[in-house]
Amino acid sequence: MLEARDVSLTYTAGGVRTYAVHHVDLRVSRGEFCGIMGPSGNGKSSLLYLLSGLRAPTGGTVLYEGRDYRALGARGLADLRRRHFGFVFQQHFLIGYLTALENVMLAGGPGSKREAMALLARLGLGECLHRFPHQLSGGQRQRVAVARALVSRPRVVFADEPTASLDRQSAQEVVSALEEYHRAGGTVILVTHDPGVLRGADRVLTMQGGRLSAG
């Protein structure tokens, strides 16, 4: 479904080239929950951005369902992300002047109100539909972000340290929502430094110095 072939991402400063991602090969199957672990600064998030098309590799190829990202162009990649991918980041990135329901509906487009309400209720936020982000706890804001990622019924959800700033209970609520999406047939690629977050993963890989290996 999603494949990286000999993918690298490098930065050059002062004539010195540094690898954020170093010649990585990875294949993620449809319906798989793939976890990527490792200390901060070792390329986990960079790899996630390459797989999702948010960054372009400096070497190698990324493909989704056999389509090379390079052949899609900027507009094609944006359309791919909009139609097939969902994103949950460490920060919730909710729009402050919109309610929880409006934030989720914005990602779903016209006619998404019913689905947005159902998702928020399933995530334990049925009483928070009309609250603004500043009226929600950190865990509640992240659950709104999960609902926003899922409302368009994506085929793949990319999660970048989605629990890093949360307490244990809030983190478990976010992880449970992603696990439920996975059990329903969705594909999850989750980056974290916390092994407890990946108890439900089908496969856990480790990123060290930009290189990927079995966990």
Side-chain angles (χ1 to χ4, degrees), residues 64-129:
Y64 175 73
E65 295 187 335
R67 291 178 289 174
D68 187 336
Y69 284 5
R70 291 174 299 187
L72 295 176
R75 181 173 295 181
L77 268 175
D79 186 60
L80 175 68
R81 289 193 296 268
R82 179 180 60 83
R83 295 177 59 195
H84 297 294
F85 296 165
F87 296 89
V88 185
F89 298 102
Q90 181 174 346
Q91 302 298 322
H92 55 79
F93 295 119
L94 299 180
I95 298 173
Y97 58 82
L98 298 181
T99 64
L101 178 59
E102 289 168 339
N103 266 282
V104 177
M105 288 175 58
L106 189 65
S112 66
K113 183 175 182 178
R114 181 176 296 179
E115 179 70 14
M117 291 177 68
L119 273 169
L120 288 166
R122 193 156 72 243
L123 290 168
L125 297 170
E127 302 297 319
C128 303
L129 301 182

Side-chain angles (χ1 to χ4, degrees), residues 46-200:
S46 294
L47 178 59
L48 191 81
Y49 297 156
L50 295 178
L51 293 172
S52 63
L54 290 173
R55 294 293 305 270
T58 50
T61 305
V62 182
L63 305 98
Y64 175 73
E65 295 187 335
R67 291 178 289 174
D68 187 336
Y69 284 5
R70 291 174 299 187
L72 295 176
R75 181 173 295 181
L77 268 175
D79 186 60
L80 175 68
R81 289 193 296 268
R82 179 180 60 83
R83 295 177 59 195
H84 297 294
F85 296 165
F87 296 89
V88 185
F89 298 102
Q90 181 174 346
Q91 302 298 322
H92 55 79
F93 295 119
L94 299 180
I95 298 173
Y97 58 82
L98 298 181
T99 64
L101 178 59
E102 289 168 339
N103 266 282
V104 177
M105 288 175 58
L106 189 65
S112 66
K113 183 175 182 178
R114 181 176 296 179
E115 179 70 14
M117 291 177 68
L119 273 169
L120 288 166
R122 193 156 72 243
L123 290 168
L125 297 170
E127 302 297 319
C128 303
L129 301 182
H130 304 296
R131 295 181 189 173
F132 294 93
H134 74 273
Q135 298 172 312
L136 302 173
S137 68
Q140 288 172 329
R141 288 193 290 266
Q142 275 297 65
R143 278 182 281 159
V144 174
V146 171
R148 180 183 58 190
L150 299 180
V151 70
S152 62
R153 301 183 181 180
R155 295 184 181 178
V156 186
V157 169
F158 297 91
D160 183 17
E161 296 279 9
T163 65
S165 60
L166 303 180
D167 60 54
R168 178 56 63 181
Q169 180 178 344
S170 296
Q172 187 54 53
E173 290 167 345
V174 169
V175 171
S176 294
L178 293 173
E179 289 176 342
E180 181 179 343
Y181 160 78
H182 169 242
R183 287 193 296 271
T187 303
V188 178
I189 303 174
L190 192 155
V191 161
T192 183
H193 64 274
D194 180 1
V197 172
L198 299 176
R199 284 192 295 267

